[in-house]
Amino acid sequence: MTSVLQFSFAPVAGHSRRQRILASADRQALFSRIAPVYDNLNDVLSLGQHRIWKRMAVDWSGAKLGSNVLDLCCGSGDLAFLLSQKVGLNGQVIGLDFSREQLTVASSRQQSRSKACYRNLKWVQGDALDLPFSDCYFDAITMGYGLRNVIDKYKAMKEVYRVLKPGSKASILDFNKSTDEFRTSIQGWMIDNIVVPVAAGYGLSEEYQYLKSSIQEFLTGEELEHLALNAGFSSAKHFEVGGGLMGNLVATR
């Protein structure tokens, strides 16, 4: 089983357990519960702003017509669909995720959409720490709300580096762990007073109560830059977006 747990506005464990590492069965059960309401919940929780952040992440990836790209921890496919439009019919997009349920939702979304470019999409169930691709395979990689929940972040970045072509970019979007106390307090207030109560309406309050702790245990922008450089990337820059609530790391091999 894979070692990655990913979805937007998602915790790494249920409140009742508060464990950083979940058993595979627990992770699969968690994805099964969230998958049917995943997209609608993202829209509600972010007031649709997550779509803007994801477009920015795709733009920062440097993907272009004809590119061969990977959306790592793809969830239900938001970034992958945006990448598909970028690379066109002559390009290829692979969406990889741990969760079969999320990939089923992504595949269903693909089948219900009429744009010709979406035929370039392929969904793969796999492990972010052991990618099933050869070295220097992709022209660009995106990762949305996945790195925070990977058990071994350094190994994940090494894998991203390995499968990227020289000179290509990885664009990694996630919650921002701010060093500013005011921003941190605002972020915490929003999780406690907006995210968790809204999630409770979907029967998912326990899953979302741990979100704040997962951000506190994440890396700051500067730490993410150092992580990428230590993994071998030639340059790395972290950008704060969404008023500092979110962050996007752009790393160039």
Side-chain angles (χ1 to χ4, degrees):
M1 285 297 175
T2 181
S3 301
V4 61
L5 177 65
Q6 179 274 330
F7 44 93
S8 301
F9 295 99
V12 296
H15 175 67
S16 61
R17 302 183 188 185
R18 294 183 179 274
Q19 296 174 337
R20 187 179 180 191
I21 303 173
L22 296 176
S24 295
D26 291 332
R27 285 181 280 185
Q28 288 177 323
L30 183 59
F31 276 112
S32 296
R33 291 196 299 273
I34 192 70
V37 299
Y38 173 67
D39 295 309
N40 184 51
L41 193 53
N42 281 344
D43 278 326
V44 172
L45 291 175
S46 72
L47 300 178
Q49 293 298 299
H50 73 102
R51 299 183 183 278
I52 297 174
W53 305 328
K54 289 171 180 175
R55 287 187 181 278
M56 294 172 69
V58 167
D59 288 342
W60 269 318
S61 76
K64 57 187 178 182
L65 286 175
S67 291
N68 178 35
V69 301
L70 171 67
D71 181 26
L72 185 55
C73 303
C74 67
S76 62
D78 276 357
L79 287 167
F81 286 112
L82 293 172
L83 286 167
S84 176
Q85 297 174 46
K86 280 279 189 183
V87 306
L89 284 171
N90 293 325
Q92 176 178 277
V93 180
I94 295 177
L96 182 143
D97 200 273
F98 153 82
S99 169
R100 182 177 297 275
E101 288 79 11
Q102 290 280 8
L103 293 173
T104 298
V105 173
S107 179
S108 177
R109 294 175 71 191
Q110 179 186 10
Q111 294 171 20
S112 68
R113 298 184 178 193
S114 59
K115 286 188 178 182
C117 64
Y118 292 154
R119 293 199 296 269
N120 65 19
L121 282 161
K122 179 181 179 182
W123 310 105
V124 175
Q125 185 175 17
D127 186 349
L129 302 184
D130 187 18
L131 296 175
F133 310 111
S134 59
D135 296 355
C136 306
Y137 189 75
F138 293 105
D139 298 301
I141 295 177
T142 58
M143 189 178 191
Y145 301 98
L147 185 61
R148 175 171 45 88
N149 295 316
V150 174
I151 294 171
D152 190 335
K153 295 172 179 57
Y154 176 73
K155 187 174 181 180
M157 288 301 298
K158 288 288 288 185
E159 276 294 272
V160 170
Y161 176 86
R162 179 182 67 80
V163 301
L164 261 181
K165 294 178 181 178
S168 297
K169 296 178 180 178
S171 179
I172 300 173
L173 172 68
D174 214 311
F175 282 91
N176 179 43
K177 180 181 178 180
S178 178
T179 57
D180 181 272
E181 291 186 6
F182 177 72
R183 286 182 178 177
T184 300
S185 65
I186 292 296
Q187 190 178 60
W189 183 90
M190 292 179 67
I191 292 170
D192 291 338
N193 294 278
I194 299 177
V195 173
V196 173
V198 170
Y202 291 80
L204 298 169
S205 61
E206 288 190 358
E207 288 77 4
Y208 282 78
Q209 284 172 346
Y210 196 60
L211 177 57
K212 186 161 61 174
S213 295
S214 78
I215 298 172
Q216 292 171 347
E217 294 170 3
F218 194 36
L219 303 177
T220 65
E222 184 176 359
E223 289 169 339
L224 286 169
E225 291 173 351
H226 288 307
L227 177 71
L229 294 175
N230 289 336
F233 287 89
S234 62
S235 66
K237 177 66 176 177
H238 184 266
F239 300 92
E240 292 188 348
V241 297
L245 297 177
M246 304 292 154
N248 200 105
L249 175 68
V250 180
T252 303
R253 173 167 177 173

